[in-house]
């Protein structure tokens, strides 16, 4: 019997308690929008990147070689079904900025630049610039860019006749572009030379003087329909990398044979010229000797006078020939020596190395994924607690509303309405609040939170468009959770009420019996407390359930706010923990596999001569893979110092940071995160494999060390040799500077550039750049924590308002009574606000404890595989969180004071029966 009048009562209830209804909608709105929006930020970031790579056909691989790559290399790969395009690039200087200048081929289909304004180069006089050059340096289309030189500072690589260079220094700007290959805005570094640069640019093929290729860009047909940043893509990339390496496995020998074969004819010709020269000299010498013999014979037959003139002439010729003979013999000897050196150099040429690099070795590509994963990791946990607090408050609000209307429920029962019909009224009320709050929450979630969070990274990445990824399953989880909570609260409360008879329901619930509280037994203290304070204390103990819910609500919001601040404090500490407390070196120079001892000695000497370099430590390192069921494969760097200066480069300590470790006494030392992932404790055995080697290597871990980024195993040279059964060879140098903090960015760039000219150097890692990059990432997460704090603060305000409004409405008769007894408006307000203030302070204290626990839980759960966040909550964070909570409580008190001033005492005191 659902009459029209009965249905109207639902909307009358909403209208008569609009403040409560809106507060309930607000709590649901905040809970749903925060959960859905924050959860959508990471996937939206990945979707935006994936679409950008697809639109521009970002290369899946690039191939470089220590001897450069050629058309023969291109043909080998192209014949196997891959799409291949050659890349020419060199780093030049213009306007005091380092610019990576690359070739652009008309019709190119791999890593296509996205034109922002203008067009790509159409002739060898035009250049298209990185759009950041327009923003930062003020360039415009039609301007001229003048390079300081036409060629890179590096010499031609081994096996090439001359370095790559441009035909001209001046180029007209045809347009501005972005490239998915250079997603990051800062800390850009060439994968081929390890040299850093500020911007990039494109010129036509014809602008280069020769056809020397720096690399080959490759697209694999097998990866065409595979989505980047997924496990399927990564697995397929591993297979394709192995396939490309197999394709190129014979190329090093072929290239070396080709170089020697190409050089051999000129060597043979030179040898023939030298031999012909020596033969000509010997022939001339024989002719002189024959002439001399003839003269001697004539002298013997005809006498001296007859041959005197011929003899003098012969002596003159002989003297001239001897001088020429000596000079030409010296020249030929020198030519032969030079030829022998050239031939020896040719014989001593190292086997070229080919490197197959996938997208993960592109700094911007990999860091973008790491940042999206970090956002997703935090979003998986924090919104759940946010939603729990919102759901708890919804449950409280609905249950109290039903309890307030027990007389109305009794009336419905007396009129013959069934329990189901009565329940439907309150379920409908809860459903309307849930559906309105959820709808608005979902509507604002995606347009608000993902772009807001991504905006924190927009200064780091040059992404043209940000796309929103709507995840229906996340929306369903949020809405279903809210529906179950609100509708469940309504059903539970109605179920409790309808078990009473209509006669009982039509009577007001008797007030709770007053009892002596503990403080009253301490008479010496109780008699010094004022009357108003005594009432407040009695009420606090009298309504334990109601007050407990207020404390829990305040504590939950305080915990959420403190967790936001705590996340910011802990995340911002990572850079200091890793690059100042653990890794204390300033640069790492990594060698190619083909580097010889002489190459290492040359680099060591260059380091000694560098003005900024202090200490140098040779190390051997090897990357291995640790696998275990239930754990993603982890990359572990095994590192062994080859001299006694390790403590100048690393400060090893136990995970609790209380005890220092000594590599000579405590090794093998495994870093904490891998130990946690692989469930390794001191004394356990760690198993791992080397790529391309099926041998199962193992080591018994003696100690665990604090570390915050990546995984390391520190061993002595002897232990390294025992593990791999091979002699130790330096694979890198660790470097510290003379004056830490005094070395400028330009000095570091010059230092790195001078080393990058050596073909034995594979990579140069500047720790200041790496630390800055990590800090940029952490700063981005810091913005996320601001979003968390603001959202939690809004929830705190709505929760406090809702709870206070419910408390006031439930006690309206009580408040009207004391007002009739002569209490002033301020006294009436203060009567209830004392309780609220006391409960808020208790909630703040409890929330501080809960916030610490929640921060620890979120950080441990949100850590990605290679990151450790140390829990750090500054005292100022406690102060800010408590201050915000208290501020909102005071604001709510001010609003409620205005409400209490307008209380109709007569109406409130009317008999309800």
């Amino acid at each position: 019997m659902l009459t029209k009048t009965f249905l109207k009562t639902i909307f009358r209830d909403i209208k008569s308690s609009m403040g409560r209804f809106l507060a309930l909608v607000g709590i649901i709105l905040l809970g749903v929008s925060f959960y859905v929006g924050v959860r959508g930020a990471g996937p939206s970031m990945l979707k935006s990147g994936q679409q950008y790579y697809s639109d521009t056909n970002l290369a899946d691989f690039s191939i470089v070689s220590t001897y450069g790559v050629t058309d023969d290399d291109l043909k080998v790969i192209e014949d196997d079904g891959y799409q291949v395009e050659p890349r020419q690039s060199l780093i030049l200087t213009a306007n005091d900025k380092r610019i990576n200048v690359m070739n652009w081929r008309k019709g190119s289909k791999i890593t296509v630049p996205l034109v922002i304004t203008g067009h790509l180069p159409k002739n060898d006089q035009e250049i298209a610039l990185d759009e950041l050059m327009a923003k930062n340096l003020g360039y415009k289309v039609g301007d001229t860019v003048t390079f300081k030189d036409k060629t890179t500072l590096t010499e031609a690589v081994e096996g090439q006749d001359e370095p790559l260079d441009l035909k001209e220094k001046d180029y007209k700007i045809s347009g501005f572009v972005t490239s998915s290959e250079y997603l990051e805005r800062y800390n850009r570094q060439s994968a081929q030379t390890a040299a850093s640069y500020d911007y990039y640019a494109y010129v036509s093929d014809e602008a280069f003087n020769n056809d020397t290729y720096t690399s080959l860009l490759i697209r694999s047909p097998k990866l065409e329909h595979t989505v980047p940043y997924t496990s399927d893509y990564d697995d397929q990339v591993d297979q394709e990398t192995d396939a490309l390496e197999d394709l190129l496995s014979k190329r090093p020998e072929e290239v070396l044979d080709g170089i020697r074969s190409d050089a051999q004819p000129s060597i043979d010709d030179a040898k023939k010229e030298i031999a012909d020269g020596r033969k000509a000299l010997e022939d001339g010498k024989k002719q002189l000797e024959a002439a001399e013999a003839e003269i001697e014979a004539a002298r013997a037959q005809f006498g001296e006078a007859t041959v005197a003139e011929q003899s003098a002439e012969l002596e003159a010729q002989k003297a001239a020939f001897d001088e020429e003979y000596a000079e030409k013999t010296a020249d030929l000897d020198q030519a032969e020596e030079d030829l022998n050196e050239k031939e020896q150099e040719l014989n001593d040429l190292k086997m070229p190395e080919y490197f197959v690099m996938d997208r993960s070795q592109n700094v911007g590509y990999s860091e973008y994924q790491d940042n999206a994963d970090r956002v997703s990791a935090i979003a998986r946990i924090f919104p759940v607690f946010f939603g729990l607090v919102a759901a708890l408050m919804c449950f409280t609000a609905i249950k109290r509303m039903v309890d307030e209307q027990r007389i109305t429920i009794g009336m419905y029962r007396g009129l013959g309405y069934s329990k189901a019909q009565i329940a439907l009224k309150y379920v409908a009320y809860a459903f309307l609040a849930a559906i309105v709050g959820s709808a608005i929450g979902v509507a604002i979630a995606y347009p608000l939170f993902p772009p807001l969070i991504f905006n924190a990274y927009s200064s780091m990445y040059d992404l043209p468009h940000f796309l929103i990824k709507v995840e229906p399953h996340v929306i369903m989880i949020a809405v279903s959770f809210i529906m179950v909570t609100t509708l469940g609260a309504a059903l539970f409360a109605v179920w409790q009420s309808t078990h009473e008879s209509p006669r009982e329901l039509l009577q007001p619930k008797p007030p709770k019996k007053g009892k002596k509280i503990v403080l009253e037994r301490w008479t010496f203290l109780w008699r010094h407390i004022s009357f108003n304070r005594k009432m407040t204390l009695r009420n606090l103990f009298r309504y334990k359930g109601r007050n407990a819910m207020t404390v829990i609500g305040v504590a939950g919001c305080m915990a959420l706010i403190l967790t936001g601040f705590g996340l910011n404090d802990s995340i911002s500490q990572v850079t200091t923990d890793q690059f100042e407390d653990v890794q204390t070196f300033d640069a790492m120079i990594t060698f190619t596999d083909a580097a010889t001892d002489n190459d290492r000695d040359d680099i060591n000497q260059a380091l000694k001569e560098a003005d900024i370099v202090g200490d140098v430590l040779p190390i051997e390192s090897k990357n291995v893979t640790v696998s275990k069921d239930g754990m993603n494969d982890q990359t572990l760097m095994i590192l062994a110092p080859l001299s006694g200066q390790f403590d100048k480069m690393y400060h090893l300590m136990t995970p609790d940071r209380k005890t220092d470790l000594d590599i000579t006494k405590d090794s093998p030392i495994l870093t904490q995160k891998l130990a946690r992932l692989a469930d390794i404790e001191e004394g356990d055995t760690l198993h791992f494999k080397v790529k391309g080697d099926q041998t199962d290597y193992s080591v018994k871990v003696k100690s665990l060390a604090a570390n915050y980024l990546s995984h390391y195993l520190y061993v002595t040279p002897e232990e390294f040799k025992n593990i791999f059964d091979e002699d130790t060879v330096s694979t890198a140098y660790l470097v510290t500077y003379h004056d830490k903090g005094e070395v400028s960015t330009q000095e570091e760039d010059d230092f790195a550039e001078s080393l990058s000219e050596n073909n034995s150097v594979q990579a140069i890692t500047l720790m200041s750049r790496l630390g800055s990059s990590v800090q940029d990432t952490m700063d981005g997460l810091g913005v996320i924590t601001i979003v968390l704090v603001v959202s939690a603060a809004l929830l705190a305000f709505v929760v406090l308002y809702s709870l206070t409004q419910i408390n006031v409405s439930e006690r309206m008769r009580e408040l009207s009574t004391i007002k009739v007894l002569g209490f002033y408006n301020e006294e009436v307000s203060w009567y209830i606000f004392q309780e609220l203030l006391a409960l808020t302070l208790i909630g703040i204290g409890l929330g501080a404890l809960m916030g610490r626990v929640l921060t620890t839980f979120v950080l441990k759960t949100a850590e990605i595989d290679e990151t450790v966040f140390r829990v750090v909550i500054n005292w100022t964070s406690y102060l800010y969180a408590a201050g915000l909570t208290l501020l909102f409580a005071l604001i709510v008190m001010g609003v409620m004071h205005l409400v209490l001033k307008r209380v109709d005492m007569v109406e409130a005191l009317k008999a309800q029966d």
Side-chain angles (χ1 to χ4, degrees), residues 363-423:
V363 175
Y365 178 92
S366 56
E367 282 190 357
Y368 186 78
Q369 180 184 19
D370 289 343
N371 286 326
D373 288 344
R374 289 186 182 99
V375 171
S376 297
I378 292 177
R380 279 195 298 269
I381 304 302
F382 192 89
V384 173
F385 291 96
F386 194 98
L388 284 173
V389 172
L392 180 63
M393 292 304 101
C394 289
F395 184 90
T396 302
I398 292 292
K399 185 177 182 304
R400 287 190 180 182
M401 183 196 76
V402 174
D403 289 342
E404 280 181 27
Q405 298 198 8
R406 58 182 279 111
I407 294 176
T408 305
I409 293 174
M411 182 188 67
Y412 287 142
R413 289 289 306 278
L415 291 174
Y417 285 89
S418 67
K419 294 179 181 180
Q421 289 171 324
I422 296 170

Side-chain angles (χ1 to χ4, degrees), residues 26-45:
I27 292 173
I28 295 171
L29 185 155
L30 283 172
V32 171
S33 65
F34 188 81
Y35 182 85
V36 172
V38 175
R39 282 288 299 266
S44 294
M45 288 177 66

Side-chain angles (χ1 to χ4, degrees), residues 378 566-575 778 781-782 785 859 869:
I378 292 177
L567 290 175
N568 184 60
D569 293 341
S570 301
I571 290 170
S572 62
Q573 188 67 26
V574 169
T575 305
M778 299 309 163
L781 290 177
T785 62
L859 283 173
F869 293 123

Side-chain angles (χ1 to χ4, degrees), residues 592-608:
T592 64
D593 293 339
T596 64
D597 289 339
N598 289 334
D599 294 328
R600 296 182 183 89
D601 291 341
D602 291 342
I603 294 171
N604 190 30
Q605 185 61 38
L607 292 174
K608 289 179 179 178

